[in-house]
Amino acid sequence: MTEEIFIGLEAVGQLKDLLQNRAFKKTVVLVDENTHRHCYPLLKSFLPENHYVVQIQSGEEHKNLTTCEHVWRELTDQNLDRWSLLVNLGGGVLTDLGGFCASLYKRGIRFVNVPTTLLSQVDASVGGKTGIDFMGFKNHIGVFQEPLAVLVNPVFLQTLDLRQMKSGFAEIIKHWLIMDAYKFYEQRYIGMFTEDWTDLIRHSIDIKSRVVTADPLENGLRKILNFGHTIGHAVESFYLEKPGQTLLHGEAIAVGMLCEAWLSTQKGLLPQEELEQIETFILSIYEKVTIPEADVQAISHLCLHDKKNDGATINCTLLQKIGEALYDKPITLPEVQSALRYYQLL
């Protein structure tokens, strides 16, 4: 598991201690245009005076090898050696890509994640997964590599719009559905109406940390964290290639959770009553995504490239009940297509 996770308003202050306690020769901060403008000023005073900033373009469409090459060229131009530090300041796209770049540069340098979106704070920056998209497939190339630390400061959430907050909230819902029924029933009448996100963030990170600690390389239990992601990633990947129709990660995962919850019921696992409770809650927060019948087959075939698959078998995480997930449950292309059509009827 990650060496250290700091959560709260004082979290970024820990960066200064980390730098003082380790003899890094150089420090580089990776930002995008948004975090450079809104978040970097909050971090700058905790960094060495001679640090260097590398900027990339925001958005899932830039989570690719071309952007990695830009980062590696910048690190090379700054003469970074293996005793340097990369600080990833951004959302899930940036922390995924930044961690990947750090893991491969000179066979690996240390990195710190400072997640700035709700999605990255509760999910993407924790757990040691790094990677990029390739040939239209989500996270197709990547490595497991733990950051030196994760610094989670809820103050960064003030820079986000409602759509981005909803995207991150999908992963929080997922954590309740796979491991904490009590939290789901406690929060389903509250939804996103909270003034202090610290407790919800801490709770989600705790769930993910326990799972990752038990199964760091995703050989078994960790696969439950993929609930909603087999179909959700397929939907996200498909519309990533459609100008003007791109979905945020959490929006696609909301679709995936509804589809995979329905499949859970169809396979005699999840009770109908609990399926309806999940549907009511998720649809109260997320707008329906229009998926034309003409797109259903193409989306379903993207599931064949899911990383959890075993050969031609699509392995999915399904729910036995709210708060309890089962991994490596085989599903078929016709079942995926039926689930997408069911979603359209909700």
Side-chain angles (χ1 to χ4, degrees):
M1 226 353 252
T2 302
E3 287 190 22
E4 294 180 279
I5 302 175
F6 299 96
I7 306 169
L9 298 178
E10 306 301 322
V12 292
Q14 299 295 327
L15 181 59
K16 197 167 188 176
D17 293 337
L18 288 170
L19 291 168
Q20 287 175 344
N21 294 334
R22 291 170 173 83
F24 293 113
K25 291 185 178 180
K26 290 191 177 182
T27 301
V28 171
V29 183
L30 184 65
V31 298
D32 60 33
E33 71 277 10
N34 298 315
T35 59
H36 199 173
R37 183 184 312 115
H38 299 295
C39 304
Y40 172 67
L42 300 174
L43 191 70
K44 187 176 181 180
S45 63
F46 301 106
L47 293 160
E49 288 188 8
N50 61 344
H51 69 273
Y52 184 74
V53 177
V54 174
Q55 182 172 313
I56 63 174
Q57 288 182 277
S58 63
E60 186 77 30
E61 63 272 25
H62 300 295
K63 187 179 167 183
N64 54 36
L65 279 173
T66 301
T67 303
C68 290
E69 185 176 353
H70 165 68
V71 173
W72 288 323
R73 285 183 182 276
E74 290 276 0
L75 299 186
T76 302
D77 288 344
Q78 291 302 308
N79 295 314
L80 257 70
D81 59 22
R82 294 183 68 185
W83 293 270
S84 301
L85 179 72
L86 183 65
V87 179
N88 299 316
L89 179 65
V93 168
L94 190 141
T95 57
D96 277 2
L97 183 141
F100 178 72
C101 288
S103 301
L104 271 63
Y105 180 78
K106 293 188 181 294
R107 295 201 178 107
I109 63 173
R110 305 307 295 271
F111 64 97
V112 169
N113 285 335
V114 185
T116 59
T117 64
L118 184 59
L119 177 65
S120 59
Q121 290 186 356
V122 301
D123 187 62
S125 68
V126 177
K129 280 187 176 180
T130 73
I132 57 171
D133 304 338
F134 186 69
M135 294 179 63
F137 302 120
K138 281 276 295 182
N139 301 321
H140 203 56
I141 300 175
V143 296
F144 287 97
Q145 185 62 54
E146 298 289 357
L148 175 65
V150 179
L151 312 178
V152 180
N153 190 339
V155 74
F156 290 127
L157 302 182
Q158 296 173 14
T159 67
L160 304 180
D161 59 24
L162 180 60
R163 188 184 178 196
Q164 287 285 348
M165 289 296 289
K166 285 183 176 182
S167 180
F169 194 58
E171 294 289 354
I172 293 178
I173 295 171
K174 178 201 74 179
H175 288 144
W176 298 340
L177 292 176
I178 63 172
M179 279 196 75
D180 197 333
Y182 176 82
K183 199 69 173 177
F184 173 81
Y185 287 113
E186 178 188 71
Q187 291 287 142
R188 69 188 182 122
Y189 296 114
I190 301 172
M192 295 183 63
F193 295 102
T194 180
E195 294 183 1
D196 182 7
W197 285 90
T198 305
D199 287 342
L200 289 180
I201 292 169
R202 193 183 304 278
H203 181 263
S204 260
I205 288 177
D206 179 61
I207 287 176
K208 182 164 187 179
S209 296
R210 282 186 280 135
V211 173
V212 171
T213 298
D215 179 20
L217 298 181
E218 202 170 34
N219 293 316
L221 180 66
R222 185 168 178 166
K223 295 177 184 179
I224 68 171
L225 295 171
N226 289 300
F227 174 65
H229 286 62
T230 298
I231 296 177
H233 270 168
V235 171
E236 184 180 7
S237 296
F238 182 81
Y239 289 109
L240 188 62
E241 305 296 322
K242 303 288 184 181
Q245 298 182 58
T246 301
L247 297 175
L248 296 180
H249 176 73
E251 294 169 336
I253 297 311
V255 176
M257 287 192 291
L258 289 169
C259 289
E260 292 172 24
W262 179 76
L263 284 175
S264 302
T265 299
Q266 293 298 108
K267 290 179 174 293
L269 300 171
L270 182 70
Q272 177 69 29
E273 178 185 3
E274 295 189 15
L275 170 64
E276 292 171 2
Q277 291 168 342
I278 292 169
E279 290 173 349
T280 298
F281 182 57
I282 291 179
L283 291 173
S284 73
I285 298 171
Y286 300 93
E287 294 182 9
K288 284 278 299 297
V289 175
T290 300
I291 302 177
E293 176 61 29
D295 294 343
V296 167
Q297 185 170 354
I299 292 171
S300 68
H301 276 79
L302 289 174
C303 292
L304 293 171
H305 297 275
D306 191 270
K307 294 181 295 299
K308 301 180 298 300
N309 292 352
D310 180 9
T313 302
I314 303 171
N315 283 327
C316 191
T317 294
L318 301 177
L319 297 179
Q320 182 159 296
K321 60 182 180 180
I322 291 175
E324 186 175 323
L326 301 171
Y327 60 86
D328 283 348
K329 305 301 290 184
I331 59 175
T332 66
L333 284 178
E335 287 175 330
V336 173
Q337 293 164 11
S338 295
L340 289 167
R341 293 184 181 109
Y342 174 80
Y343 170 80
Q344 281 304 300
L345 297 175
L346 289 174

